[in-house]
Amino acid sequence: MLEPFVSELYSGHLFAGSDEAGRGPLAGDVVAAAVILDPNNPIASLADSKKLSEKKRVALFDEIKEKALAFCIARASVAEIDELNILHASMLAMQRAISGLRVTPEHALIDGNRIPKDLPCPAEAVVKGDDRVEAISAASILAKVERDNEISALAERYPGYGLEKHKGYPTAQHLAALETLGVTPIHRQSFGPVKRIIEKLA
């Protein structure tokens, strides 16, 4: 267990945690969330979304939305990912999530080592923040569950790719389906495996 993060810049309670889901997949939007937790309404078992079972994430998804002082889920589209690159699109999604909170935070803690531009408050980057800051853990859960739900819905529109199983990540099944079925509008054309198939078919 990592040591909880303690900010040297801010010691209040009105701060947002933010994280994203979906940097690595070949398909779908990158989704981000921002959460301001209520210190008087704690949520047990918050942890990095990747370390929780799907059942636990789904239960916490509803609990976070019910108990948080504020939350916002935002995204950057496949077109924005291809235009900006995935890093900048992830930053844009987090900026939208933090700016979209109905309560303006006094401070923001961002998972990772970079801070999005144009935030409504001062911010700090927290490496491994989804393990060290409960508000970032909560944001990671919201972003992950929301994105998984969106990809599962897209799987019905684009059958044959196995999206409901791998959620757009570059598995052997997904790569084989791209070879046989081709590239769809939800695929990120700037990503190497997708780019290579487009070039091969050109």
Side-chain angles (χ1 to χ4, degrees):
M1 184 69 182
L2 293 167
E3 281 291 308
F5 175 78
V6 178
S7 172
E8 294 179 7
L9 303 179
Y10 180 77
S11 57
H13 294 294
L14 197 66
F15 70 92
S18 187
D19 198 4
E20 49 69 34
R23 278 198 191 194
L26 304 179
D29 296 349
V30 61
V31 176
V35 178
I36 302 175
L37 292 175
D38 182 351
N40 298 316
N41 206 354
I43 300 167
S45 308
L46 285 174
D48 174 6
S49 63
K50 295 184 283 296
K51 296 183 177 177
L52 299 170
S53 67
E54 184 176 0
K55 185 178 178 184
K56 186 67 179 168
R57 283 197 301 264
V58 170
L60 283 167
F61 182 81
D62 293 331
E63 188 178 358
I64 292 161
K65 293 204 292 186
E66 188 183 312
K67 290 183 172 179
L69 285 176
F71 72 89
C72 180
I73 300 171
R75 62 199 25 76
S77 68
V78 171
E80 288 172 322
I81 292 167
D82 285 338
E83 181 187 342
L84 300 172
N85 77 36
I86 186 61
L87 172 64
H88 289 108
S90 298
M91 292 293 118
L92 178 61
M94 285 193 278
Q95 185 269 331
R96 286 171 172 165
I98 295 165
S99 298
L101 289 164
R102 60 181 176 78
V103 177
T104 303
E106 295 172 348
H107 197 72
L109 299 176
I110 314 294
D111 185 57
N113 59 3
R114 291 170 181 262
I115 297 171
K117 296 175 183 169
D118 303 323
L119 293 179
C121 61
E124 287 173 88
V126 184
V127 174
K128 300 202 180 296
D130 43 12
D131 260 337
R132 302 172 66 200
V133 178
E134 286 197 330
I136 296 179
S137 301
S140 83
I141 292 163
L142 292 191
K144 169 78 174 149
V145 174
E146 181 78 10
R147 188 177 188 284
D148 283 357
N149 290 343
E150 288 178 13
I151 290 288
S152 294
L154 288 171
E156 295 181 20
R157 202 187 312 169
Y158 299 99
Y161 292 87
L163 293 168
E164 68 286 351
K165 293 179 193 156
H166 52 64
K167 305 296 189 254
Y169 281 87
T171 62
Q173 178 194 13
H174 193 183
L175 295 172
L178 279 167
E179 289 279 358
T180 53
L181 300 173
V183 174
T184 74
I186 65 164
H187 280 96
R188 301 171 179 180
Q189 296 189 19
S190 58
F191 277 44
V194 181
K195 201 182 210 172
R196 283 193 288 277
I197 286 164
I198 292 169
E199 286 167 357
K200 196 189 289 186
L201 298 174

